[in-house]
Amino acid sequence: MPDFDLVIRHGTVATASDVFAADIGIAGGQVVALGRNLGPGAREIDATGKLVLPGGIDSHTHIEEPRPGPTANADSFASGTASAAVGGTTTVIGFARQARGGSMAAGIAEHRARAAQSRIDYGFHMILTDPRPEILTEELPALVEQGYRSFKIFLTYSGARITDGEALRVMAAARRLGALVCIHAEHHELIEFYTEALVAAGYTRPLHHAWAKPMVVEAECVHRVCRMAEALDVPIQVFHVSGEESAEEIERAQRRGLKVWGETCTQYLVTTAEDLDRPGLEGAKFLCSPAPRAKADQAALWEMIRRGVIGNVTSDHAPTRFGGPDGKTAFGEDAPFTKLPNGVPGLAARMPILFSEGVAKGRIDLPTFVAITATNAAKLFGLHPKKGTIAVGADADLAIWDPERRVTITRSLIQDANDHTPYEGFEVTGWPETTLVRGTPVVENGRVVGAPGFGQFLPRGPYDLIKPRGVFPGPFNPVDGVPV
Ligand code: DUC
Ligand code: ZN
Ligand code: ZN
């Protein structure tokens, strides 16, 4: 009679705090023993020479999100989560969107139906595009209770943006309900002003997307939302911090003691605005918002990761095919940047690139890699300690990682439904061989074996990290309408 369903033997286990040699005993989908010379498992994996890491948590992914067209999101939950697992990720947080004039609950119900095909575990942020009073007071309390414990707001993009006044009301609602507000922070009118001037002057190539949204556009807005969060005493995460000046705004807020967290994405660490300047429409493969910056910004972001200012790195996976009627070329080979859909695919590449550029190149140590790819997101989004670490009682979400394997990233390795990757030809050292979700292999030796529908929805209950501090900059608490 075996002691465990599965034993992973002889590996080197890494968490966000420690690296140690241990066997892992798994039963009922959870880690139940960590130690040497564990008893037999019904199944055994020999991890000699391998790292055993917490499966990644990619807390910013746009999978199967509907768009008005003609371009479309390339992935389904089945394809997107296959790709995530190929890259060692075991949990994704996606986005359920409220239609303007519509209900948030309806957006959730539709997205839950799509996500039923997920191969790995998942949760949602709620994109509030129209935070009318009845949405905030009548719909959100029940939805937060059901485990949708984070809101996403956009301060730019015509179809999604809300005003500063609306953002304040969303922040206040989040404070009352115990939810986290995640923010796309760019100055909308400034982008429009730049864009009109660029188009008028004939600057419409993909490169000019970066000209339309230079760093000042982001840094100003990051500063603004940090101050808004300070005024209302509301914890926030600033999404996709793309370079030095925005990261400095986050750091300044953190130094004032605010609960402001910063996220960056793989693409800001390895691509630059120069990639947008490739011939023809090739640059469109690198087009995302905020725009890719300069080499110096990449170095600054790594430094901010080392200092803990940037706590997690996501993919912001937002896949549009390049070719075809719904692809980035749908408006023609000389389409102006204003027509090009924003976003790059990146679910599978995230962890291997961060391991290679981070750990293998000596920029960060292994525990920091675990922290920025899994543990910190688990903590920030209320999934810890069930997710994001290797400990007795945690879900056995694991990536068995060959730290020496050299791989050239190609489209075919990625296994999503897209027709390109911005990381084509990128060379990495280190690759996940086997990915387990709750002790069940989803990827085995690079082959996707997890079934669509195996993934489970992760409701997120209340947790302390995102509790407000109870500190206001003045004598009055404007959320509750009382003196402090
Ligand atoms: N930026 C976003 O904010 N969302 C998806 C794609 C992108 O580039
Ligand atoms: Zn965004
Ligand atoms: Zn995004």
Side-chain angles (χ1 to χ4, degrees), residues 60 62 95 152-154 157 183-186 239-240 263 289-290 316:
H60 186 161
H62 302 272
F95 295 90
K152 162 91 188 263
I153 55 173
F154 289 91
Y157 288 136
I183 306 179
H184 182 123
E186 291 186 288
F239 270 175
H240 39 51
E263 170 217 72
S289 285
D316 196 1

Side-chain angles (χ1 to χ4, degrees), residues 39 147 183 368 400 407:
I183 306 179
T368 303
I400 302 178
V407 171

